[in-house]
């Protein structure tokens, strides 16, 4: 990090100059968004809403900005100096050190997997982790013995959590807009038919 700070303060180099092309700026933008998203998700499952929100806000600012990725432009879209520095770190290293640490953290992987279950938040996922749960398969094998709340007794999962566990893979599948519109049209037809019959 000292090298990065030295570069920032001694050179005060502009990212656009370092990048040299618009294509490189877009590649950097995508990488920054990805690294910030990783950190936001990791902080969220660790229960640190404030840090998660900071990374999410920075991610959104970078993703929505259509200006160049110069230091001045990054500041003008509302990034704090700390997050501008993180953008420089990603440019220099190709990754954010904090995001890389989260990717190597087995507990973070477990927490991210457990919070995919509908009805399971960070606090409950951490409680299950303390109970020795390391995967969704572990939850399935202990559905009647795990606590249903972060501070509750080990009386089993709630009805909502059991449904979330049952359909956890299905909930991860994105639904395309045309499918949503088809279902909407079908429900609308049925509702209008029921209204006519009544």
């Amino acid at each position: 990090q000292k090298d990065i700070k030295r570069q920032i303060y001694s050179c005060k180099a502009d990212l656009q100059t370092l990048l040299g092309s618009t294509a490189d700026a877009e590649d950097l933008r995508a990488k920054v968004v990805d690294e910030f998203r990783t950190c936001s998700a990791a902080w969220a499952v660790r229960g640190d809403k404030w840090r998660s929100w900071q990374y999410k806000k920075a991610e959104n600012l970078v993703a929505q900005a259509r200006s160049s990725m110069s230091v001045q432009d990054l500041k003008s879209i509302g990034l704090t100096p700390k997050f501008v520095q993180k953008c420089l770190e990603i440019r220099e290293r190709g990754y954010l050190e904090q995001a890389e640490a989260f990717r190597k953290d087995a507990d973070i992987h477990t927490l991210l997997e457990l919070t995919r279950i509908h009805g399971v938040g960070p606090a409950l996922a951490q409680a299950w982790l303390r109970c020795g749960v390391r995967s969704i398969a572990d939850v399935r094998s202990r559905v009647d013995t795990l606590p249903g709340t972060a501070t509750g007794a080990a009386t089993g999962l709630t009805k909502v959590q059991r449904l979330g566990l049952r359909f956890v893979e299905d909930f991860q599948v994105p639904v395309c807009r045309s499918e949503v519109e088809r279902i909407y049209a079908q429900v609308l037809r049925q509702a209008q038919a029921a209204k006519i019959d009544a």
Side-chain angles (χ1 to χ4, degrees):
Q1 274 197 349
K2 288 180 181 178
D3 291 338
I4 293 170
K5 287 181 182 177
R6 193 176 302 121
Q7 180 180 357
I8 293 169
Y9 296 114
S10 65
C11 302
K12 293 185 180 175
D14 188 292
L15 266 180
Q16 190 61 38
T17 304
L18 290 171
L19 288 169
S21 77
T22 305
D24 289 339
E26 288 305 313
D27 289 345
L28 176 61
R29 184 185 324 278
K31 186 64 176 172
V32 167
V33 166
D34 187 49
E35 294 295 272
F36 286 179
R37 183 175 295 134
T38 297
C39 290
S40 177
W43 284 117
V45 295
R46 287 182 65 179
D48 193 328
K49 293 178 183 178
W50 174 247
R51 282 193 177 122
S52 175
W53 177 82
Q54 285 180 314
Y55 274 100
K56 190 69 177 167
K57 180 181 176 187
E59 172 198 332
N60 289 336
L61 287 171
V62 172
Q64 294 170 5
R66 289 297 139 227
S67 56
S68 71
M69 290 291 285
S70 69
V71 171
Q72 191 60 37
D73 286 339
L74 290 171
K75 288 178 182 176
S76 73
I77 63 172
L79 283 185
T80 63
K82 179 176 88 171
F83 279 97
V84 171
Q85 182 178 338
K86 290 178 188 297
C87 291
L88 284 170
E89 179 184 345
I90 294 165
R91 164 59 183 101
E92 289 302 307
R93 293 183 178 182
Y95 63 90
L96 187 60
E97 188 174 340
Q98 188 174 62
E100 188 67 14
F102 284 141
R103 281 190 284 272
K104 293 177 181 177
D105 188 327
D107 287 350
I108 292 294
H109 283 277
T110 298
L111 293 170
L112 287 169
E113 181 175 1
L114 295 178
T115 55
R116 287 176 43 216
I117 302 169
H118 183 72
V120 178
L124 181 56
Q126 289 171 16
W128 287 356
L129 186 64
R130 288 189 296 274
C131 292
V133 173
R134 303 299 299 179
S135 67
I136 288 177
D138 290 347
V139 176
R140 284 192 171 113
S141 69
R142 298 174 59 186
V143 73
D144 293 321
T145 60
L146 287 172
T149 62
T151 57
T155 57
L157 276 63
T158 66
K159 185 176 181 179
V160 169
Q161 292 161 352
R162 289 170 192 259
L163 283 170
L165 180 61
R166 180 178 172 194
F167 297 108
V168 68
E169 285 82 15
D170 294 335
F171 289 153
Q172 302 305 309
V173 177
V175 179
C176 65
R177 185 169 186 82
S178 61
E179 179 70 5
V180 171
E181 289 171 352
R182 186 188 67 75
I183 293 169
Y184 170 77
Q186 185 174 353
V187 169
L188 186 61
R189 279 193 304 273
Q190 294 296 324
Q192 288 171 342
K195 187 177 180 182
I196 292 169
D197 291 342

